[in-house]
Amino acid sequence: MATITADNALPASGATTHEGKQKLPLLMLGAIGVVYGDIGTSPLYALQATLDPRYHLGINVTDLYGIVSLIFWSFVFVITVKYVFIVMRCDNDGEGGSLALYALIQRRLGALSPQRWLLIGALFATALFYADAMLTPAISVISAVEGLGVVSSEFQPYIVWIALTILISLFAIQRHGTERVGKLFGPIMLIYFAAISAMGVYHIAGHPQVLQALNPAYIWGFFAAHPLYSFLSLGAVIYAVTGTEALYADMGHFGRRPITYAWLYLVFPALMLNYMGQAAMLMEHPQFVDNPFFRMVPPWLTIPLLVIATLATIIASQAVISGAYSVTHQAIQLGFIPRMRTAHTSSREKGQIYISAVNWALAAMVALLVVTFQHSSKMLPAYGLAVVGTMLITTLMQYVVIFKIWKRPLWQAGVGFAVFVTVDAVFLASGLAKLFEGAWFPILVGIVIFTVLTTWAKGRAMMRARLADNAIPLPIFIKSAAASVHRVKGTSVFLSTSADAVPAALLHNLKHNQVLHERVIILNVKVEDVPYVADERRVEFHDAGQGFYRVILHYGFMEDVDVPKDLAFIKTCGEPFNMMSTSFFLGRQKLIASKKVPGMALWRERMFAWMLKSSESAMEFFKLPTNRVVELGSQLHL
C-alpha cells in the first residue's frame, strides 16, 4: 500500500462536510455561541478603556468619534478583510489555527518553507493563545460582575469573590462536558446581541449625529489633535477586536460560510450599534464615563442586563477553555507537548474533550489574575498585547501561503501585506508602551510556554536521533537472527519510532527471553500534517519476510490514536489479530542529561527528562490493553 500523503488524506471535518449535513442557520447559531463569545463581550470594557484618564482624552466629537471610527475600520480591515476574506481561506482541510496553518505550509512547501522563523512563529502564537486563555475568562467575567457596582456601591467589596466563584465553578464542571449546556450558547448569545443592538439604537436615536463617526476622516482629526495620546489609546482600541483568532481557530467546527455570515449579518452590526450607542450616550451624559455599557439602560434594567452579560462572558470563557483543550490536543499529536490524559465528554462529538492538567492549570492562573489585579481595567494592558501578538504572527504566516503556495505576484498582494503588517505593528507598539502596567504578563507566559514547547520538540528529536544511531536495520536483523532464534506461538507488536529499524525493546526482549513470536509486528504511528486521515488509508503494510511485518498507522493531528481498533482491520498480516494472543512491547527510556553529548543546555535536558517521565504512558495514549503490555526499560544519554 502506498504511503499516505497530505493530498490523498480526506478531512472528516470542515466547511463542506458540516454545511452538507446541517442547515446554514443552525451552524450560524452555533458559531454565534462559540466563535463570537469573546469579541461579542468586548463592548463591556473596550470603549470605557479608551477613555481612561491616562490617555487624556475628552468627551467630545473629536475624541469620541475618532475612537468609534477606529473601532469601525478595525472591524473592516482586521476582521472582515484580513480574517474573514483572506485568513480563513488559508485552511488545512477545513481546520484553522496557528498549528494547523504551520502544518499546511510544511506539507505543501516541505524543505522550501521558511523553516526556522515559521516554527518559532507558530509556537509563539500558540504560547500567546494560552496567555489569552488565561486572560479572557478573568477579564470577561469580572467586567460583567463589575456591573454590580452600578447597581449599588455596597457590592464593590464582593465583586472579586463573586467573579472567583463563577470562574472556579466553570472550571469545575468541565470534566462533565458541555454537550447539553452548549446547546444554549447560541440562543443566549443571540439574545445578548439583540439586547446590545437595541441599547445602541435607543441612544443613537437620541443623538443621530454619531453616525458620522463612520467617516474615516475622524481618525485623521483624532490623531492630529493629540498624536501621542491617540497612539497610546490604540492599545485600548485593540480590545474591541479581542477574540478575532477564534474565527480562524474554530473554523473546523462550523465551516467558513456560517462564521462569515454570522459576522457580516449579525455580530458586526450589533457591535457597531452598541459602540455608537455608547458614544451617543456619552455625548449627552458625559458623567456616565465610569461604566458606559451598564449606564446605557435605566436602573430597573441593570440587573437583567447584568445577568445576560454575565452569561455571555461565561460562554466566552467556555469557548476559550474548550479551545485550549483543542490546541493542546493538536500540539500533542504534532509532537510539541508531552502526552496528556484526554477524556472525551461526548459520545457523538469528537471535538468535545477534557484535559485535566490543562483545565486546572488554567483555573489556577485565572484565579491568580483575578486576585492580583482585582479590576478588569488593570488586566486589559496584558490582554491587548496577547491578542495583537498572535494577529501579527498569523499575518506573516498567511502571506507565506499567499506568496509561496497560492503564488500571488508581489504587485498583487504586496500592498495588502504592507497594510496589514503595518496595522498590526502599530497596535503592537502601542501595547508595548504598557509593558510595566501588565503587558509583561503575556510576554512572560509566552516565553515560558514557548520554552516548554521547543524543549519537548527538540528533546524528542534528540532522543530519536540517539535511538537511530544504535538501531539495526530490520532486513539485517531478520537475516542474522530470525532463523536461529526459537519461535513461540502468538503475535508480538513492538512500537517503534521508525518502521525500518529494530526497536530497542525487541533487542532487549531477545537478549533476556531469547525467543521471538511466530508473528512479529514493527509498528510505527505517524501523525500527518492534515486534520483527519480516511479510514481506508489508515494502514500501510509491508511484509518483511520470515514472520516479520512492518505496519505504519497514519492519523491526522485532530484524531485520537487507537492502535488495537485499527490493527483489527488488517487482514493481510498472516491472520486476523486476536488481542488474547497478542503482546505489546514498549520501550521506556530513562534519560540521563549529560554535558558530554552536544544538544540542548543541561537545564533543558533535565527539563525534557522530567516531562518525559511525567507524560501519560504510551500504553494509555495508544489505548493498548493493560493485561497485554510488556515494558522494557533502558538508559539513554542526551
Side-chain angles (χ1 to χ4, degrees):
M1 178 177 177
T3 301
I4 295 175
T5 65
D7 293 329
N8 60 24
L10 300 177
S13 175
T16 304
T17 303
H18 280 292
E19 291 172 30
K21 291 182 178 180
Q22 301 185 44
K23 293 181 180 179
L24 185 61
L26 291 177
L27 286 168
M28 289 175 61
L29 186 64
I32 290 167
V34 176
V35 177
Y36 294 109
D38 191 359
I39 193 171
T41 54
S42 60
L44 273 73
Y45 47 79
L47 187 63
Q48 177 186 352
T50 62
L51 298 174
D52 189 284
R54 79 183 78 179
Y55 301 126
H56 301 277
L57 303 180
I59 308 299
N60 53 62
V61 169
T62 299
D63 292 346
L64 269 180
Y65 286 17
I67 292 168
V68 171
S69 190
L70 275 169
I71 292 173
F72 174 75
W73 289 104
S74 295
F75 282 171
V76 171
F77 281 105
V78 176
I79 301 180
T80 308
V81 176
K82 185 172 83 172
Y83 275 89
V84 172
F85 293 143
I86 301 178
V87 174
M88 289 179 64
R89 294 180 183 274
C90 303
D91 66 292
N92 190 338
D93 287 346
E95 293 292 333
S98 300
L99 289 179
L101 184 56
Y102 167 76
L104 168 69
I105 295 171
Q106 286 294 101
R107 183 177 91 230
R108 296 293 297 273
L109 295 181
L112 298 177
S113 66
Q115 298 284 340
R116 190 170 183 81
W117 80 258
L118 185 68
L119 177 60
I120 291 173
L123 293 183
F124 201 74
T126 302
L128 288 176
F129 173 82
Y130 285 106
D132 186 26
M134 298 170 190
L135 288 160
T136 295
I139 291 175
S140 299
V141 172
I142 200 170
S143 63
V145 178
E146 282 171 348
L148 288 170
V150 175
V151 177
S152 172
S153 59
E154 294 181 2
F155 286 112
Q156 203 66 42
Y158 306 104
I159 287 175
V160 169
W161 296 109
I162 293 172
L164 276 176
T165 301
I166 293 172
L167 288 165
I168 297 302
S169 300
L170 178 63
F171 282 103
I173 66 170
Q174 292 300 310
R175 63 189 181 91
H176 300 294
T178 58
E179 183 174 10
R180 293 182 180 177
V181 70
K183 295 177 181 178
L184 299 175
F185 285 2
I188 289 173
M189 290 304 298
L190 198 59
I191 294 171
Y192 169 79
F193 282 121
I196 67 172
S197 299
M199 292 156 57
V201 169
Y202 174 80
H203 287 284
I204 292 170
H207 188 86
Q209 298 93 326
V210 76
L211 294 171
Q212 299 174 20
L214 302 183
N215 186 341
Y218 281 100
I219 298 177
W220 175 262
F222 178 57
F223 278 91
H226 26 59
L228 177 60
Y229 293 123
S230 299
F231 167 73
L232 294 175
S233 72
L234 290 176
V237 172
I238 196 64
Y239 306 149
V241 297
T242 55
T244 303
E245 278 290 317
L247 276 72
Y248 185 42
D250 290 325
M251 186 168 55
H253 294 288
F254 302 100
R256 184 164 59 88
R257 277 209 309 159
I259 293 175
T260 299
Y261 289 176
W263 168 253
L264 294 176
Y265 300 126
L266 176 66
V267 181
F268 189 176
L271 291 176
M272 279 315 305
L273 285 172
N274 191 265
Y275 281 120
M276 288 190 292
Q278 289 188 44
M281 180 194 68
L282 289 173
M283 291 298 296
E284 301 291 328
H285 304 282
Q287 71 273 19
F288 290 161
V289 71
D290 62 321
N291 199 324
F293 180 82
F294 285 102
R295 298 288 189 183
M296 293 179 78
V297 297
W300 62 274
L301 277 177
T302 303
I303 293 296
L305 178 62
L306 178 66
V307 171
I308 191 65
T310 302
L311 289 173
T313 58
I314 291 173
I315 291 170
S317 302
Q318 177 61 60
V320 79
I321 292 168
S322 299
Y325 302 152
S326 297
V327 168
T328 302
H329 184 70
Q330 286 187 26
I332 290 171
Q333 296 294 71
L334 290 172
F336 296 118
I337 291 181
R339 295 187 298 263
M340 296 184 188
R341 187 183 298 274
T342 302
H344 288 264
T345 58
S346 171
S347 59
R348 292 179 294 178
E349 297 293 335
K350 288 185 177 180
Q352 292 197 16
I353 59 176
Y354 170 73
I355 303 177
S356 178
V358 174
N359 183 71
W360 291 112
L362 285 179
M365 291 304 301
V366 168
L368 182 63
L369 284 168
V370 171
V371 171
T372 302
F373 288 97
Q374 302 276 317
H375 300 282
S376 61
S377 59
K378 293 182 180 179
M379 282 186 269
L380 286 171
Y383 196 29
L385 196 64
V387 171
V388 75
T390 306
M391 287 168 50
L392 177 58
I393 293 171
T394 300
T395 299
L396 296 174
M397 292 177 69
Q398 88 180 46
Y399 272 91
V400 173
V401 175
I402 291 172
F403 288 128
K404 299 289 187 179
I405 298 177
W406 295 355
K407 299 188 182 301
R408 296 290 190 271
L410 182 63
W411 64 267
Q412 189 180 83
V415 174
F417 175 73
V419 170
F420 292 137
V421 169
T422 300
V423 169
D424 290 343
V426 170
F427 275 126
L428 182 65
S430 179
L432 285 171
K434 304 172 189 175
L435 185 63
F436 299 106
E437 298 176 34
W440 56 267
F441 176 78
I443 296 177
L444 177 62
V445 171
I447 291 173
V448 170
I449 296 179
F450 177 80
T451 302
V452 171
L453 297 174
T454 53
T455 298
W456 180 255
K458 177 68 173 177
R460 286 180 78 241
M462 289 172 56
M463 186 174 73
R464 291 189 174 195
R466 302 286 185 270
L467 290 172
D469 289 341
N470 300 322
I472 301 173
L474 184 59
I476 295 176
F477 174 81
I478 294 173
K479 289 180 180 179
S480 61
S484 58
V485 176
H486 179 65
R487 310 293 284 261
V488 296
K489 291 183 178 181
T491 300
S492 59
V493 179
F494 293 87
L495 271 73
S496 174
T497 56
S498 171
D500 300 315
V502 179
L506 194 158
L507 296 176
H508 283 293
N509 178 61
L510 185 59
K511 176 182 178 181
H512 293 288
N513 297 322
Q514 299 180 9
V515 295
L516 289 173
H517 286 79
E518 288 179 334
R519 184 169 61 165
V520 180
I521 310 296
I522 308 299
L523 177 63
N524 175 233
V525 175
K526 184 176 182 180
V527 177
E528 303 287 350
D529 291 332
V530 291
Y532 298 91
V533 171
D535 288 340
E536 61 270 20
R537 296 187 175 125
R538 177 81 65 206
V539 179
E540 182 181 345
F541 166 80
H542 302 277
D543 188 343
Q546 300 197 45
F548 282 80
Y549 302 90
R550 294 190 298 114
V551 175
I552 303 174
L553 295 180
H554 297 264
Y555 295 89
F557 58 77
M558 293 296 292
E559 295 182 285
D560 288 325
V561 177
D562 193 333
V563 168
K565 184 187 78 171
D566 292 315
L567 286 180
F569 287 103
I570 300 178
K571 307 299 182 185
T572 55
C573 197
E575 62 184 36
F577 276 86
N578 177 5
M579 286 300 113
M580 297 307 297
S581 61
T582 300
S583 298
F584 294 88
F585 290 83
L586 305 177
R588 178 177 285 272
Q589 281 75 36
K590 180 181 179 182
L591 299 183
I592 300 175
S594 173
K595 291 182 179 180
K596 297 179 181 179
V597 183
M600 296 186 293
L602 187 62
W603 66 269
R604 291 184 71 192
E605 290 183 358
R606 288 172 176 166
M607 179 179 173
F608 173 71
W610 175 81
M611 287 192 290
L612 183 67
K613 184 179 179 181
S614 304
S615 64
E616 183 184 32
S617 70
M619 178 183 69
E620 294 172 329
F621 184 76
F622 295 124
K623 296 181 174 58
L624 305 179
T626 55
N627 60 341
R628 306 302 306 173
V629 174
V630 178
E631 287 193 333
L632 298 167
S634 62
Q635 288 187 347
L636 186 68
H637 287 265
L638 282 181

